[in-house]
Amino acid sequence: MQTPQNIDPRTVDYGAVPDEKGHFGPYGGRFVSETLIAALDELQAAYAMLKDDASFQAEFDSDLAHYVGRPSPIYHAERWSKKLGGAQIFLKREDLNHTGAHKVNNTIGQALLAKHMGKPRVIAETGAGQHGVASATVAARLGMECQVFMGAEDVKRQSLNVYRMKLLGADVVPVTSGSRTLKDAMNEALRDWVTNVDNTFYIIGTVAGPAPYPQLVRDFQSVIGRESRVQMQAQTGRLPDCLVACVGGGSNAIGLFHPFLNDHDVAMHGVEAGGYGITTGKHAAPLNDGKPGILHGNRTYLMEDEDGQIIDTHSISAGLDYPGVGPEHSWLKDMGRVNYVAVTDDEAMDAFRALTQIEGIMPALETSHALAYAAKLAQDMDKDKTILVNLSGRGDKDILTVADIDGITL
Amino acid sequence: MSRIAARMKACQDRGRKAVIPYIVAGDPWLEITVSAMHTLVDAGADIIELGVPFSDPMAEGPVIQLGHERALANHIGLSDVLAMVAEFRNKDRETPVVLMGYANPIEVMGYTVFAEAAQRAGVDGVLTVDMPPEEASESNTIFRQHGIDAIFLIAPTTSNQRTKQICAMATGYIYYVSLKGVTGAGHLDTAEVESKVRFIKQTTDLPVCVGFGIKDADSARAIAKYADGVVVGSVLVDGMGECVGMNVRDNEADLNTESKSFNANEKNLFTKKITDKIMSIVSVIALGANP
């Protein structure tokens, strides 16, 4: 197989990946136990049929318009840009979506799939709780039973979102195995799915997992990039010079990037969680400091030790605190189409405060990583250049974490 | 003829159903495993499945997850497991050993490096839970070149068409997963297992062994009526954990980071308890499978 490092990214047909087995070059695929294969085949067949079905698309578009509130606006952060003294920063306002983040674009799509497939029960994994809330929300709306798996550590850290999910009627299951965080929640969701495979739809929250999940989550999230292309042209008369998004599993990033991949002059930067710093090893940046491996149904870059055990990650932001990353990002990294960098907890906090104080927009801590890198980029670019940042979520959920850092008990 | 094929044939010639116990390598400490493997053979094991510890054992129920966590607290990796098999082979050249685990430790070691080392150590088969046939063509070729059988799972959800494809790729034996669920689950439907095993046996000449959900003489007897072998894992791993008082997850301690070390006295005491436990569990299963 041709290694992605030797491919010229300008020659790739990005619409033609993944292949029929879910491979993005050497990444992706379907590494699950045999019991789940039939369920994945069923999902793939249903999705293949519905994705080009006009009435399914109309239903999806209508939900995005009337329930989520799309299109989300693009905002020119003029004051912040001026302060930084370089390129003009624009924000794609996914934080204004119903439930406060981009996650809902995907849960709407997958819940519609579940409905068409006749599955009365949905399950989801969650780290920070945003995907859990978005899943519980759509389950409530469609009258489905919903169980959300969440690492016991995260249940403690994210009590507000746990209660939100409960109010929405979901059953939140604390997971006490392994490191008790997002990766263990995903293990437990897969175990539940194996056991209840006949009546259950597993709503995966990011562009990872076994095929067809990385593709279908990407397709549902690509609404972000499709809208952005039109909006930027309308607002600035051209496409942005570069795109910036944070990358945990990478769903908001791929959603923004994918519709621009064939625009060879648009540079792209994916920002991973650098935690205490890459050199400390205490981070969640597999694309910067990991190796390819197999976890959660796909081959991708992972944080792992020399025995192939998955190692604990650290990030200030629970939503980026994951040892893997979507396989398409691994492929885009190897080809060099997207530049993957990391920013530290402290840099993200600085950006959180800057946007809050200068623009009156409180970003999620996940999103703050993208903002921190955008600020660095902007300073070295001319004033007539433009940067579009995916403002993937709002920061209300993080207030307790920020107060804690400030030494304040609310 | 591979060691697995020879052993399965010997069982069939004697009208015996193969007894296949599963333990996790390095659980609850490193040195116990080789002695436990010999005890398994003394207790009536025909083949040994040795679990390779992994940080994210997605197909396992709580009992075997804990076995993996206990082994990981001792930092047991794939190369340690291969060393155990090599040591076991010093005294036992007959009993087949199958490594059962997840893809990533092998992926990281490299398939060829692993296959060479496994062959040298005396490993007979490899069952990679999260490596379905679609992704396994490369590793299968490498394993075959090194005389290692590739064991594949067939599940209640596997279609007939797919069953045929899997049978065409598999060597050694077919591992039929008796239920929709994780290891150690409790809802075994023996009638459903029977019809599926019957179909598999029409499809292939390979022996069909059944696992997930066999926990006592009765379930072993029910399954052994139509299968060629029974796999017993959770009840054994639970028993071993119980011997050292570590078979329930402590909600405060994190087994991944806090290794429990045993002193020499404890190891002596626990070795005796574990040996007795293994003898009693495996003998009961063996008697159930071959009344």
Side-chain angles (χ1 to χ4, degrees), chain A residues 338-374:
Chain A
V338 178
N339 174 41
Y340 292 93
V341 297
V343 309
T344 64
D345 289 350
D346 290 345
E347 291 170 314
M349 277 306 303
D350 289 346
F352 171 89
R353 292 182 205 282
L355 200 75
T356 302
Q357 288 163 12
I358 298 167
E359 296 287 355
I361 296 173
M362 193 178 293
L365 289 180
E366 290 78 12
T367 313
S368 300
H369 288 73
L371 294 165
Y373 192 71

Side-chain angles (χ1 to χ4, degrees), chain B residues 193-224:
Chain B
V193 177
E194 180 175 5
S195 78
K196 196 79 186 192
V197 168
R198 193 157 285 167
F199 178 78
I200 300 169
K201 290 181 75 71
Q202 285 165 11
T203 309
T204 179
D205 291 334
L206 288 172
V208 182
C209 301
V210 175
F212 285 44
I214 294 163
K215 50 187 57 161
D216 51 24
D218 285 349
S219 46
R221 187 178 305 120
I223 295 293

Side-chain angles (χ1 to χ4, degrees), chain B residues 259-277:
Chain B
S259 168
K260 173 151 172 50
S261 55
F262 301 96
N263 64 35
N265 278 343
E266 283 176 320
K267 281 187 180 173
N268 277 335
L269 175 71
F270 291 147
T271 301
K272 167 131 185 36
K273 279 175 90 171
I274 287 172
T275 305
D276 292 348
K277 186 63 112 179

Side-chain angles (χ1 to χ4, degrees), chain A residues 9-270:
Chain A
R10 288 168 181 263
T11 63
V12 174
D13 176 4
Y14 293 94
V17 288
D19 68 15
E20 74 283 357
K21 286 184 175 177
H23 294 129
F24 301 87
Y27 302 108
R30 196 184 262 185
F31 296 88
V32 294
S33 65
E34 178 61 26
T35 311
L36 288 180
I37 296 286
L40 292 167
D41 280 343
E42 184 191 359
L43 173 60
Q44 187 147 354
Y47 182 61
M49 196 180 75
L50 291 170
K51 110 180 138 75
D52 300 319
D53 179 274
S55 69
F56 179 83
Q57 276 305 329
E59 202 177 353
F60 180 55
D61 292 344
S62 167
D63 279 356
L64 290 183
H66 303 292
Y67 190 69
V68 177
R70 303 204 70 93
S72 63
I74 281 181
Y75 169 74
H76 181 195
E78 225 173 327
R79 197 157 166 258
W80 193 39
S81 304
K82 199 164 186 181
K83 202 144 195 162
L84 293 165
Q88 302 306 306
I89 298 179
F90 291 78
L91 307 174
K92 177 63 171 164
R93 299 292 307 274
E94 292 297 302
D95 60 320
L96 296 178
N97 291 344
H98 179 44
T99 72
H102 73 289
K103 290 290 186 189
V104 73
N105 302 327
N106 168 50
T107 57
I108 291 269
Q110 290 199 45
L112 282 181
L113 276 176
K115 191 177 96 174
H116 281 266
M117 291 168 73
K119 306 281 184 185
R121 177 175 181 266
V122 296
I123 56 172
E125 84 293 337
T126 198
Q130 289 304 99
H131 174 59
V133 167
S135 298
T137 298
V138 295
R141 179 172 172 248
L142 295 176
M144 290 170 170
E145 185 190 339
C146 177
Q147 211 158 39
V148 179
F149 296 90
M150 189 167 186
E153 283 301 317
D154 292 332
V155 169
K156 274 194 252 168
R157 289 194 286 193
Q158 304 286 335
S159 54
L160 282 178
N161 270 343
V162 172
Y163 190 54
R164 281 172 84 190
M165 288 185 268
K166 287 181 180 166
L167 286 173
L168 287 160
D171 179 21
V172 180
V173 183
V175 176
T176 55
S177 57
S179 60
R180 302 155 185 234
T181 57
L182 177 55
K183 79 174 177 70
D184 309 285
M186 196 152 177
N187 292 335
E188 208 54 37
L190 286 163
R191 291 179 188 124
D192 181 287
W193 200 26
V194 163
T195 308
N196 301 296
V197 63
D198 293 330
N199 73 341
T200 297
F201 187 103
Y202 180 15
I203 303 183
I204 292 186
T206 191
V207 284
Y213 282 101
Q215 181 190 357
L216 73 88
V217 177
R218 175 194 79 192
D219 291 353
F220 290 139
Q221 291 292 2
S222 290
V223 66
I224 302 171
R226 283 197 307 273
E227 286 175 4
S228 296
R229 292 193 82 219
V230 176
Q231 290 167 313
M232 284 302 282
Q233 281 170 310
Q235 279 174 245
T236 69
R238 58 191 180 86
L239 295 180
D241 294 296
C242 71
L243 307 176
V244 183
C246 64
V247 178
S251 68
N252 91 78
I254 216 79
L256 176 66
F257 295 168
H258 197 262
F260 288 93
L261 285 170
N262 287 319
D263 299 310
H264 305 305
D265 295 332
V266 178
M268 300 182 190
H269 305 273

Side-chain angles (χ1 to χ4, degrees), chain B residues 2-266:
Chain B
S2 78
R3 204 155 17 208
I4 292 174
R7 175 55 59 95
M8 290 304 305
K9 183 171 184 306
C11 283
Q12 276 164 351
D13 289 348
R14 287 159 46 212
R16 179 181 165 81
K17 300 307 172 91
V19 174
I20 310 178
Y22 165 99
I23 59 173
V24 180
D27 167 30
W29 69 88
L30 189 148
E31 299 85 359
I32 187 83
T33 301
V34 174
S35 96
M37 290 167 77
H38 291 302
T39 307
L40 290 170
V41 175
D42 293 343
D46 296 288
I47 295 174
I48 294 171
E49 282 186 0
L50 194 55
V52 180
F54 183 49
S55 52
D56 296 81
M58 284 158 287
E60 316 298 346
V63 165
I64 293 182
Q65 287 171 41
L66 271 174
H68 282 251
E69 289 181 23
R70 289 190 297 262
L72 285 176
N74 304 315
H75 306 288
I76 306 297
L78 184 52
S79 29
D80 300 306
V81 180
L82 293 172
M84 291 172 194
V85 178
E87 193 189 333
F88 173 76
R89 281 276 167 260
N90 288 336
K91 287 192 195 156
D92 187 326
R93 308 199 62 78
E94 307 297 323
T95 310
V97 175
V98 172
L99 299 190
M100 181 168 181
Y102 294 81
N104 202 46
I106 303 179
E107 173 100 356
V108 166
M109 183 178 278
Y111 292 90
T112 303
V113 173
F114 165 74
E116 283 168 4
Q119 185 180 31
R120 260 200 315 278
V123 170
D124 302 290
V126 174
L127 196 176
T128 314
V129 177
D130 54 349
M131 183 73 87
E134 288 82 354
E135 302 286 354
S137 59
E138 189 193 337
S139 59
N140 231 22
T141 307
I142 295 169
F143 292 165
R144 195 160 296 176
Q145 283 163 355
H146 291 83
I148 295 170
D149 284 322
I151 318 283
F152 282 95
L153 300 173
I154 290 179
T157 52
T158 307
S159 69
N160 289 350
Q161 178 57 34
R162 200 175 153 80
T163 297
K164 288 177 189 163
Q165 290 165 359
I166 294 173
C167 289
M169 274 185 91
T171 52
Y173 56 90
I174 295 290
Y175 187 130
Y176 180 66
V177 176
S178 64
L179 48 79
K180 292 172 196 157
V182 291
T183 50
H187 48 278
L188 192 61
D189 177 348
T190 49
E192 200 186 322
V193 177
E194 180 175 5
S195 78
K196 196 79 186 192
V197 168
R198 193 157 285 167
F199 178 78
I200 300 169
K201 290 181 75 71
Q202 285 165 11
T203 309
T204 179
D205 291 334
L206 288 172
V208 182
C209 301
V210 175
F212 285 44
I214 294 163
K215 50 187 57 161
D216 51 24
D218 285 349
S219 46
R221 187 178 305 120
I223 295 293
K225 276 187 192 144
Y226 36 84
D228 299 301
V230 296
V231 183
V232 58
S234 291
V235 67
L236 201 50
V237 173
D238 194 44
M240 291 175 72
E242 188 193 313
C243 289
V244 295
M246 293 171 71
N247 64 329
V248 178
R249 184 171 274 126
D250 178 345
N251 275 322
E252 294 308 314
D254 185 347
L255 286 167
N256 265 336
T257 52
E258 289 170 30
S259 168
K260 173 151 172 50
S261 55
F262 301 96
N263 64 35
N265 278 343
E266 283 176 320

